Amino acid sequence: MDLVQMLVVIGVIIVLVKPLGTYLYHVFSGESNRTDNIFGGFERLIYKLVGFKRREGMSWKKYAFSMIVTNAVLVGVSYLILRIQQFLPLNPNGMGNMESSLSFNTVISFMTNTNLQHYSGESALSYFSQMAVITMMMFTSAASGLCVAISFIRGLTQRGQTIGNFFEDFIKAHVRVFLPAALLVTLILVALQVPQTLDPTLTVHTLDGALQRISMGPVASLESIKHLGTNGGGFFGVNSAHPFENPNGLSNAVEMWSMWMMGAALPYTFGLFAKNKKQGWVIFSAMMILFLVFLSTVYFSEKAGNPAINALGIDAAQGSMEGKEVRFGIAGSTLFTTVTTAATTGSVNNMHDTLTPLGGMVPLVQMMLNVVFGGKGVGLMNMMMYAILGVFICGLMVGRTPEFLGRKIEAKEMKLIAIAILAHPFIILVPTAISFMTDLGQSAITNPGFHGLSQVLYEYTSSAANNGSGFEGLADNTPFWNITTGLVMLFGRYVSIIALLGVAGSLMSKEPIPETIGTLRTDNRLFVGILIGTVLLIGALTFLPVIAMGPVAEFLTLG
Amino acid sequence: MNHIQTQDTKSASLTASFGTTFWAALRFSLILIVICGVLYPLASTGLAQLLFPHQANGSQLKNSEGIVIGSELIGQSYTDPHWFQGRVSSIEYNAEGSGSNNYAPSNPELMKRMQASLNDWSKNNPDIPVNLVPIDLITNSGSGLDPHITNKAAEVQISRVSKLSGVSEEKLRNLIKEASQGRDLGIFGEPRVNVLKLNLALQKEMAGMSR
């Protein structure tokens, strides 16, 4: 039954790839199509309200600049709201203003699509902040990511000087993709028992006669965009493990489809832009193979359980249930864990800190590689980066100038790619080392032994990959952690985006060269192997030592 | 001279472009805050309250006198051993918050807590050996609010509950069947028993007997 459940979830995603990928292509290709009739009027109204007329194409620099300025403005306004939420409307539970380093961390976290949370929603945010800051940023950061991915694809597949108009793409992403999808998923989730109310906390007398206070609020409208936008920040502290955020097996599946479908469909969209659908499927296959390997690892590890607990002589046939919910079991929990760290969402329906050592290694490694599907486009962009690197390495081996999609790969592109590839491990490993050298960092560790290393490593990996899940035992709401992870999230988001848009801009202005018999084909099975090999090789070279000291050492010493 | 002029016009156009970009960004940001941050959640709330009022308000559960005693989705803490017990919760099912201690598999505190749970078990259920205790009964749920246990975990408590409540074992078996549900659509999730619904039915049964 576990297998059937997983296959159905994966199967639905595979079925969705083609229609959704085609839809995204129609929205952003610029050719007129049916979606214009449905959404065009609403968009024109928005353009009119803000007085936006000049929809000309932008160079990659102007595009990146417009995105960063927009994000900066949103960060500023949101920071202000969190600092004065006490005086704003819709605060029935009387929340106070948020402290400054925590506010800094929170707005960076949501703007960068990370959604690392050093606060608990039910005890730190007013309903207005949950809506106007958290829910709003879930839309805008997701739309920013999608715009960057689309413009990157345009740069790789088209010729000219401009990669599209940021503001036009940004509004289209909201109006034609995220808003309608979020409204639909919200209603499905409410039907499946996720609350959506503005009433304050409910107080009841329990069966046993005790007093129970139950937090609620506008949960479903946040829950839907949290997954569709691969944001991952929960309404409640425990995220999608909370019965109000994720009440049953079906809502669990709906949330997994919501966060996975966009990242899975984008390779197909890329194939349509490249006028080579096979190229899209090659990228998709490489991602799916890696996904299945990781899913199997965490599933079998959790099913086998914790040897120390199994030795107590209880009935442990279910597997390792510490930190998991009965309604999901091992299959629903491990599948969610694999999907959420593949899609860079970072929502959790079980506590990753309590996973068995090899089980907990899977989310960690997926975030380190950061190429297995990814959110709305980050995974695709990183995978393209590895594809170009793979072509480059193969080119060196046979002594030919490497080409990708008919353009020569030269020193400028490789330098930018090297920056993007090296930035990721740098902003993970250096802060991890620093926090071990200071008391401020060490004092946050709550689990002794090798697992303590994993806790710190996970926090920075999750920040750098803009994932946002955590080994949540870590006591991370201190100025030290708020500021360091805030900076890591910023660099993790914008360094690679700028470098890769630079690659796209540079490739776009090159003369295409005709394909010859000597060209390395990038749309066949051999290239799937080359791609996976490149990803694993680079990943292993960078991260193997630290993985050995954390999860592997814990595994070897347990039981 | 020419060269300097081009430089000037270039930097002038750059400042101008920063200005226009900034103002455009500001206007777009404000309108998106209104649409995504206010209109969308309020519209969702309105539609949800209209179409699914029971679910939208937290699936509240009432007792036979019509008083709300909790939510069917949120577990409760039962101190008296005549109730069916739910999962371990480090936050004592205080639903104002949520969470657990996040004990790593190698954390000695985890083993200490489990050993304590097992000792409690042997004290309260002297006739049921430890090797029949399913793991979900002595592990902390992720949320600390898990409303469910497995069917096995409910059945293994029948003997104790029957002795302490006076309700026959056969009757209890039926109550468990009524409070249990299968996989959603027959595929998703796990079969499970809702402890609050089960105990609510048990309370009704006991009230009927004492009358």
Side-chain angles (χ1 to χ4, degrees):
Chain A
M1 209 56 215
D2 284 1
L3 186 66
V4 176
Q5 199 177 139
M6 291 176 171
L7 286 180
V8 170
V9 172
I10 296 170
V12 167
I13 284 296
I14 293 176
V15 170
L16 281 175
V17 163
K18 200 172 161 186
L20 189 63
T22 312
Y23 179 77
L24 288 174
Y25 174 74
H26 283 314
V27 168
F28 291 105
S29 67
E31 301 154 19
S32 56
N33 58 70
R34 264 184 305 170
T35 58
D36 289 340
N37 302 337
I38 310 170
F39 301 110
F42 189 51
E43 281 169 6
R44 278 191 294 277
L45 178 69
I46 295 178
Y47 294 149
K48 214 170 156 188
L49 281 173
V50 298
F52 173 68
K53 291 186 201 82
R54 301 190 317 175
R55 275 187 264 166
E56 77 270 28
M58 296 172 168
S59 68
W60 76 266
K61 282 180 188 156
K62 183 107 196 273
Y63 198 100
F65 180 69
S66 305
M67 185 210 64
I68 290 171
V69 171
T70 308
N71 285 3
V73 169
L74 289 166
V75 161
V77 176
S78 303
Y79 181 82
L80 193 70
I81 294 179
L82 291 183
R83 298 286 286 144
I84 58 166
Q85 64 173 359
Q86 195 179 335
F87 312 114
L88 296 173
L90 282 179
N91 188 6
N93 296 319
M95 301 295 175
N97 297 330
M98 195 182 256
E99 178 265 324
S100 59
S101 81
L102 184 57
S103 301
F104 165 78
N105 186 277
T106 304
V107 293
I108 298 292
S109 166
F110 280 84
M111 195 67 253
T112 55
N113 205 250
T114 312
N115 293 212
L116 195 73
Q117 292 169 295
H118 288 178
Y119 66 92
S120 262
E122 60 265 56
S123 54
L125 289 179
S126 71
Y127 288 173
F128 185 74
S129 299
Q130 290 273 23
M131 287 162 41
V133 175
I134 304 298
T135 309
M136 178 277 289
M137 277 193 155
M138 286 185 168
F139 278 100
T140 49
S141 68
S144 301
L146 183 59
C147 289
V148 168
I150 293 290
S151 62
F152 177 72
I153 292 176
R154 286 194 193 118
L156 241 47
T157 55
Q158 296 172 357
R159 290 203 53 222
Q161 297 300 325
T162 59
I163 57 174
N165 183 295
F166 171 74
F167 293 112
E168 188 181 4
D169 287 346
F170 195 50
I171 291 298
K172 273 184 170 175
H174 282 93
V175 174
R176 301 190 188 199
V177 182
F178 290 113
L179 278 166
L183 207 54
L184 179 70
V185 174
T186 299
L187 291 179
I188 294 174
L189 287 177
V190 176
L192 292 171
Q193 291 185 300
V194 178
Q196 177 72 23
T197 171
L198 295 176
D199 289 345
T201 300
L202 176 75
T203 307
V204 297
H205 288 278
T206 65
L207 269 191
D208 224 12
L211 211 62
Q212 190 182 36
R213 294 167 62 77
I214 303 177
S215 291
M216 265 188 258
V219 184
S221 60
L222 183 149
E223 199 65 23
S224 59
I225 186 62
K226 160 180 139 187
H227 286 114
L228 286 165
T230 68
N231 292 285
F235 192 95
F236 302 102
V238 288
N239 214 296
S240 283
H242 197 292
F244 276 158
E245 288 203 26
N246 194 355
N248 49 55
L250 192 54
S251 66
N252 199 40
V254 168
E255 290 178 12
M256 286 191 276
W257 290 325
S258 300
M259 65 171 133
W260 194 2
M261 62 185 187
M262 212 85 76
L266 269 170
Y268 189 82
T269 309
F270 168 71
L272 290 177
F273 269 101
K275 306 219 169 6
N276 182 352
K277 287 185 208 163
K278 257 177 92 183
Q279 185 68 62
W281 285 114
V282 161
I283 306 281
F284 180 88
S285 315
M287 291 173 170
M288 189 53 107
I289 291 169
L290 286 168
F291 179 87
L292 293 175
V293 170
F294 287 123
L295 174 63
S296 321
T297 311
V298 58
Y299 174 75
F300 287 112
S301 180
E302 295 306 306
K303 199 76 193 169
N306 179 345
I309 292 179
N310 297 354
L312 290 174
I314 53 171
D315 175 6
Q318 288 171 66
S320 173
M321 286 302 287
E322 177 73 16
K324 297 193 182 64
E325 304 279 300
V326 165
R327 60 193 181 282
F328 309 133
I330 299 295
S333 298
T334 54
L335 184 58
F336 198 98
T337 291
T338 318
V339 173
T340 194
T341 47
T344 74
T345 310
S347 55
V348 294
N349 79 348
N350 67 94
M351 295 300 109
H352 289 183
D353 217 349
T354 62
L355 288 169
T356 55
L358 294 186
M361 185 180 77
V362 165
L364 193 55
V365 170
Q366 286 211 81
M367 294 189 298
M368 286 169 167
L369 299 181
N370 211 9
V371 293
V372 186
F373 293 106
K376 326 113 315 266
V378 181
L380 178 71
M381 284 172 76
N382 286 336
M383 201 52 135
M384 305 309 291
M385 174 174 88
Y386 280 102
I388 295 174
L389 184 66
V391 167
F392 180 74
I393 293 174
C394 292
L396 286 185
M397 286 195 274
V398 294
R400 242 185 85 96
T401 310
E403 304 151 20
F404 186 60
L405 302 176
R407 320 293 165 83
K408 274 189 182 148
I409 308 292
E410 290 165 306
K412 187 179 173 197
E413 292 80 39
M414 286 321 297
K415 278 182 196 156
L416 287 167
I417 285 180
I419 290 174
I421 286 190
L422 291 177
H424 187 59
F426 185 82
I427 57 176
I428 293 173
L429 298 176
V430 171
T432 302
I434 290 174
S435 65
F436 272 101
M437 289 190 290
T438 67
D439 282 341
L440 288 171
Q442 277 192 29
S443 58
I445 296 169
T446 54
N447 281 305
F450 301 113
H451 195 87
L453 175 75
S454 309
Q455 277 189 309
V456 173
L457 183 64
Y458 196 102
E459 185 76 1
Y460 285 115
T461 310
S462 176
S463 303
N466 294 144
N467 182 283
S469 62
F471 273 13
E472 287 298 344
L474 194 72
D476 48 18
N477 181 17
T478 64
F480 173 82
W481 288 96
N482 286 337
I483 291 167
T484 55
T485 54
L487 293 175
V488 170
M489 288 188 278
L490 268 182
F491 290 125
R493 177 79 164 176
Y494 296 106
V495 169
S496 67
I497 280 184
I498 294 171
L500 290 176
L501 282 182
V503 171
S506 159
L507 286 178
M508 193 169 206
S509 56
K510 285 189 182 181
E511 281 300 316
I513 42 171
E515 195 174 288
T516 64
I517 187 128
T519 306
L520 173 71
R521 294 196 63 97
T522 55
D523 56 358
N524 55 15
R525 254 182 283 175
L526 174 68
F527 194 71
V528 174
I530 292 175
L531 199 50
I532 294 178
T534 313
V535 167
L536 292 181
L537 189 72
I538 302 286
L541 285 174
T542 349
F543 292 114
L544 211 52
V546 73
I547 291 281
M549 286 194 289
V552 173
E554 188 186 7
F555 169 72
L556 293 174
T557 50
L558 194 65
Chain B
M1 196 63 200
N2 254 342
H3 178 70
I4 295 170
Q5 258 177 354
T6 24
Q7 281 290 31
D8 271 2
T9 34
K10 233 183 183 176
S11 67
S13 82
L14 235 135
T15 4
S17 107
F18 176 79
T20 43
T21 310
F22 178 79
W23 286 114
L26 188 67
R27 291 194 303 263
F28 274 109
S29 299
L30 291 179
I31 200 157
L32 286 172
I33 291 175
V34 173
I35 295 175
C36 305
V38 181
L39 294 181
Y40 157 75
L42 291 184
S44 301
T45 311
L47 281 173
Q49 291 287 344
L50 192 71
L51 297 172
F52 311 105
H54 173 70
Q55 292 95 319
N57 290 310
S59 307
Q60 298 173 13
L61 213 54
K62 292 175 178 168
N63 65 10
S64 45
E65 287 141 33
I67 300 168
V68 176
I69 49 107
S71 160
E72 67 166 273
L73 295 175
I74 304 293
Q76 298 188 352
S77 173
Y78 307 98
T79 37
D80 197 312
H82 84 266
W83 299 116
F84 282 95
Q85 302 290 314
R87 303 192 58 193
V88 176
S89 164
S90 63
I91 57 165
E92 300 290 332
Y93 289 95
N94 176 4
E96 228 175 341
S98 55
S100 72
N101 283 331
N102 277 300
Y103 287 145
S106 58
N107 193 329
E109 294 295 323
L110 173 69
M111 300 316 293
K112 251 188 242 169
R113 193 203 70 212
M114 290 211 142
Q115 201 55 57
S117 294
L118 284 180
N119 293 346
D120 278 353
W121 177 267
S122 305
K123 203 176 71 193
N124 289 327
N125 308 269
D127 49 344
I128 309 282
V130 165
N131 64 7
L132 292 179
V133 179
I135 189 167
D136 57 305
L137 264 190
I138 58 162
T139 42
N140 203 127
S141 65
S143 60
L145 303 170
D146 196 344
H148 299 112
I149 51 177
T150 55
N151 289 63
K152 260 191 190 172
E155 280 155 17
V156 77
Q157 300 185 49
I158 285 179
S159 143
R160 179 193 81 237
V161 173
S162 173
K163 255 178 238 159
L164 295 175
S165 67
V167 179
S168 76
E169 297 205 357
E170 202 195 323
K171 189 78 209 171
L172 288 177
R173 240 175 275 278
N174 282 332
L175 294 185
I176 290 175
K177 213 174 271 171
E178 281 162 26
S180 67
Q181 69 182 101
R183 297 170 196 275
D184 302 281
L185 302 182
I187 302 173
F188 302 110
E190 300 291 319
R192 55 202 183 265
V193 178
N194 187 304
V195 185
L196 181 55
K197 280 184 178 171
L198 176 59
N199 279 334
L200 199 58
L202 174 64
Q203 186 189 41
K204 214 167 147 192
E205 197 65 39
M206 285 164 67
M209 277 167 37
S210 63
R211 223 167 261 154

